Amino acid sequence: MTDTPINEPDPPRKSRARSRETVMNTLAGVLGCLALVVMIATVFRVATAKLWESSQINPDYVDAVYEDLQGRGWSGDSRENSALISAAGDVKPAGNKLTLNDVTPREEDSKSAKKAAIATAASSNTPPPPAPAPDLPNINGIANIEAKRIEIEAVIRGFFESNSIDMKLVFARDSMRVRPLMENFYRSHPMNPPRWKNLGWLMSVDEKGYRFGYAQAVFDDAEPISVVIEETTEGKYRVDWESSVSYGELDWKEFLKVRPAEPTLLRVIASKPQVAPEGTAVEGQEIIEIKHPAQEGTVLASFDRNDPKFQSLIEQLQSGNWKDVPLTLRLCFPGSSSTGGTSLGAKIANIEGKGWLILQGNRS
């Protein structure tokens, strides 16, 4: 019996099959590399967008609120209202007076580090010591502020997440003095803590004799809020509550309606009037237009520019170019009532603090 030979594959056909297999393997490798590149590019783009979103600072706004007697110093802030905040850009320090550290937010090392810092901040429910004496030239802002980001974020986060006055006072500057102010304010303003996201930009504020900083709190469900922080001699951090809510002794609408004869403390925005007021000008009298940062309505207010007590007011207006300058003033309508008033409107009885920040702890 003769064995039947097994037919061997055609050599050319076998070569073509191997070539197709090689091409398919190469194509699969190329597609895999392309997918990896696309994925990395997408992640990088998202991360870059988030960093850009939270690191924006408006130079015009910083110039408007950061003033001192010879040039630049601190002046308070509002809740990012449209009158003061426009599209953000890069900040360039004014001379050597504004110290800007790395203001780009970064992820913290771990959630446990944040919780530990919050617990440490909350455990010290004691008011900060009195403001340092003005003869301490070595104190000027918060030194090396970016290295203290974790501790500062813990305090600011605790401040905004607090849902009671007692808890908020734990993180508030000058807590003993502002307690009655908080109690008065929250009778008519609900305390609705926003959902925290992260700490945005962070900078030291150049104010001789004080350890002040300026920071942006970013939320998931609300607009960012810029706040003033102070470092105590014990290395703790406290948020200036008054400037964060633009606190006033009377609601702005109520002030315009009642026209109180007694001087009333208000945090306002002041500018030189675009149109000169009617009537005969009194020698030495200065008139400015005043408005609230968040409510409608304006009023003209006058003061005696030759009175030494208004020297600080004139300096703040000049350094702000007499346009949208944040001020803390005591205003009144002398000799007026709710049914009438003077032709010019309000009178400035006094200037309090600097911008929206009261420097001395014993002021009210």
Side-chain angles (χ1 to χ4, degrees):
M1 181 175 180
T2 305
D3 293 336
T4 304
I6 300 175
N7 294 331
E8 295 292 330
D10 187 10
R13 185 176 299 174
K14 183 177 181 180
S15 177
R16 287 195 297 271
R18 289 179 178 176
S19 298
R20 284 196 299 270
E21 182 179 356
T22 301
V23 170
M24 293 300 293
N25 291 337
T26 303
L27 181 60
V30 171
L31 292 176
C33 292
L34 287 176
L36 181 60
V37 169
V38 171
M39 181 179 66
I40 293 174
T42 302
V43 172
F44 178 80
R45 181 178 179 182
V46 172
T48 303
K50 287 185 176 296
L51 288 175
W52 175 253
E53 173 187 359
S54 57
S55 63
Q56 296 173 328
I57 309 175
N58 184 293
D60 295 334
Y61 175 68
V62 175
D63 285 343
V65 301
Y66 191 71
E67 315 282 332
D68 73 8
L69 299 184
Q70 278 77 36
R72 298 299 182 189
W74 163 252
S75 182
D77 174 51
S78 69
R79 289 173 171 262
E80 308 290 328
N81 64 85
S82 58
L84 295 179
I85 304 297
S86 59
D90 295 332
V91 170
K92 295 183 179 179
N96 61 353
K97 293 293 182 179
L98 177 59
T99 302
L100 281 180
N101 293 284
D102 179 12
V103 299
T104 303
R106 64 170 181 258
E107 293 296 326
E108 309 303 353
D109 295 336
S110 65
K111 293 183 178 180
S112 59
K114 286 186 177 181
K115 293 180 180 179
I118 291 176
T120 301
S123 65
S124 177
N125 188 13
T126 58
D135 58 347
L136 298 177
N138 59 316
I139 296 178
N140 212 344
I142 300 178
N144 198 19
I145 190 171
E146 189 62 32
K148 304 169 182 177
R149 173 176 283 269
I150 293 179
E151 294 85 351
I152 292 174
E153 178 172 2
V155 171
I156 297 178
R157 179 176 183 174
F159 175 83
F160 281 107
E161 289 185 341
S162 298
N163 57 8
S164 70
I165 292 176
D166 287 336
M167 282 301 300
K168 195 170 286 290
L169 284 168
V170 172
F171 305 97
R173 173 178 177 259
D174 206 1
S175 58
M176 292 182 65
R177 183 180 64 83
V178 303
R179 174 183 282 276
L181 308 184
M182 276 193 186
E183 292 172 347
N184 176 59
F185 180 82
Y186 288 115
R187 288 190 186 102
S188 56
H189 296 78
M191 188 181 294
N192 297 321
R195 192 166 62 250
W196 180 263
K197 183 177 181 181
N198 66 277
L199 181 66
W201 46 259
L202 184 64
M203 69 178 75
S204 179
V205 171
D206 186 7
E207 185 67 36
K208 187 177 180 179
Y210 296 89
R211 298 181 179 92
F212 285 139
Y214 195 35
Q216 182 193 52
V218 184
F219 309 100
D220 283 325
D221 56 350
E223 291 297 317
I225 299 176
S226 300
V227 295
V228 184
I229 54 175
E230 183 174 18
E231 182 181 35
T232 70
T233 54
E234 292 85 2
K236 305 295 182 182
Y237 304 95
R238 297 292 180 263
V239 178
D240 188 76
W241 171 80
E242 293 171 280
S243 60
S244 74
V245 299
S246 61
Y247 176 79
E249 293 176 345
L250 196 63
D251 183 81
W252 179 248
K253 292 181 180 179
E254 191 71 11
F255 172 78
L256 295 179
K257 178 181 178 181
V258 175
R259 300 170 68 88
E262 291 297 321
T264 303
L265 186 142
L266 294 164
R267 284 173 169 81
V268 297
I269 304 296
S271 303
K272 184 179 284 294
Q274 295 183 356
V275 179
E278 298 179 357
T280 304
V282 179
E283 184 178 358
Q285 184 183 66
E286 190 70 53
I287 299 173
I288 57 176
E289 184 180 73
I290 293 176
K291 62 183 178 180
H292 191 271
Q295 300 182 31
E296 295 182 354
T298 61
V299 65
L300 294 178
S302 62
F303 67 94
D304 182 1
R305 66 178 301 122
N306 296 320
D307 191 331
K309 72 178 182 180
F310 292 122
Q311 184 63 32
S312 172
L313 172 58
I314 294 174
E315 288 166 347
Q316 291 186 58
L317 289 168
Q318 288 176 340
S319 58
N321 295 320
W322 297 76
K323 177 65 175 177
D324 290 336
V325 182
L327 298 171
T328 302
L329 303 174
R330 287 197 176 275
L331 299 169
C332 62
F333 293 86
S336 68
S337 66
S338 60
T339 58
T342 62
S343 59
L344 288 177
K347 179 179 180 180
I348 299 176
N350 206 357
I351 171 74
E352 301 280 343
K354 205 170 204 180
W356 285 5
L357 189 67
I358 294 179
L359 300 180
Q360 302 300 328
N362 60 357
R363 299 293 290 278
S364 62

